[in-house]
Amino acid sequence: GCTQKYIVKNYFYYYLFKFSAALGEEIFYITFLPFTYWNIGHSVSRRMIIIWSIVMYIGQVSKDILKWPRPLSPPVVKLEIRTDAEYGMPSTHAMAATAISFSFFIATMNHYKYPFELGLAAAFVFSTLVCLSRLYTGMHTVLDVIGGALIAAALLVLLYPAWDAIDHLLLTSPFSPLVSIVVPLVLCYNYPKLDYYSPTRGDTTTILGAGAGATVGFWLNNQLAAASYAGEDFHLRLPLLTGKTVVVMLARFLVGILVILLTRRLMKSVVLGALGYHYQFPVADLAARRRPEVEVPYKFITYSSVGFSATVVVPLLHELLGLM
């Protein structure tokens, strides 16, 4: 649990790439993806979440199948500890950044009024910064990063023609909630086994759980024809953004994030407490919490609740508060 000592010689690069690295982690997913659902467009957010879930699952599983080690330290100086136990190839930060930035660009370019060149440049800069951050922090080789970006790009190309069909199926099929829960759970319980503990299974369960909860929320909103979903998506026109619009968007975001954080905190306590009681272990026992029979339901239930809350509870609260 110790990192190699280092001296920061350029604070601009240090903070730039530390921030860029955070754009591929939970703090970004739990803020940006819900923000797009509340403020940009429901269809945009749904497509991003579909792509994100598939890309990240394939990336995480690929790591534990290929088992390519991360760069050796020394000579590399590693600025992170948590993910050091994971394998390196492919870089899931690079995969997530490429998938999210370009799926957002593709999903919005024909529906929202902004320059095509600006959107393409923004997607390229975003994904490039995250990719470079993995080299700067010493967590990946150049090959890991290039491999991750290329795999994500290939998956985008393969999945793009099926976007509308998948989205329609998930919204309208009576089996959608069951499939959305059962399939991710089966994938999580049958995750590749390693000789030592790695956070990849837990992170994968977190991602698939959040995607499952959000998908059930999408389906439920469509079935109930909720008033907040009956109209067209909010159309983002940068020159026409007014101060009032910005305030409403910010209020939606702050209210939503507060609900999400409270949901996550509550569900973590309840689910972990229930599992601890069932399997007879103290909540503080880290080794017990890493067992598959504990880690998978703990993280899946917690984050599926977060996804459901973000797509159903928060919009209802927005409507109640007059923020729609």
Side-chain angles (χ1 to χ4, degrees), residues 191-260:
Y191 194 82
K193 292 186 171 88
L194 298 176
D195 296 331
Y196 63 93
Y197 177 79
S198 167
T200 48
R201 183 184 60 212
D203 291 345
T204 305
T205 305
T206 294
I207 293 165
L208 294 185
T215 302
V216 172
F218 299 150
W219 180 87
L220 184 62
N221 288 327
N222 187 67
Q223 298 303 308
L224 299 179
S228 55
Y229 297 86
E232 293 294 323
D233 285 345
F234 171 75
H235 279 210
L236 182 64
R237 296 178 177 87
L238 295 179
L240 299 181
L241 282 179
T242 63
K244 181 180 178 181
T245 303
V246 172
V247 170
V248 171
M249 291 173 67
L250 182 61
R252 289 176 188 162
F253 177 71
L254 293 176
V255 169
I257 288 300
L258 178 61
V259 172
I260 283 178

Side-chain angles (χ1 to χ4, degrees), residues 76-98:
V76 169
V77 177
K78 295 185 177 181
L79 306 186
E80 297 179 10
I81 299 175
R82 180 183 176 275
T83 57
D84 192 36
E86 298 179 8
Y87 289 106
M89 178 67 172
S91 166
T92 47
H93 273 72
M95 293 182 70
T98 303

Side-chain angles (χ1 to χ4, degrees), residues 264-276 298 302:
R264 185 177 67 163
R265 179 70 177 269
L266 174 64
M267 294 307 297
K268 276 187 173 183
S269 299
V270 171
V271 176
L272 193 56
L275 290 169
Y298 163 50
T302 296

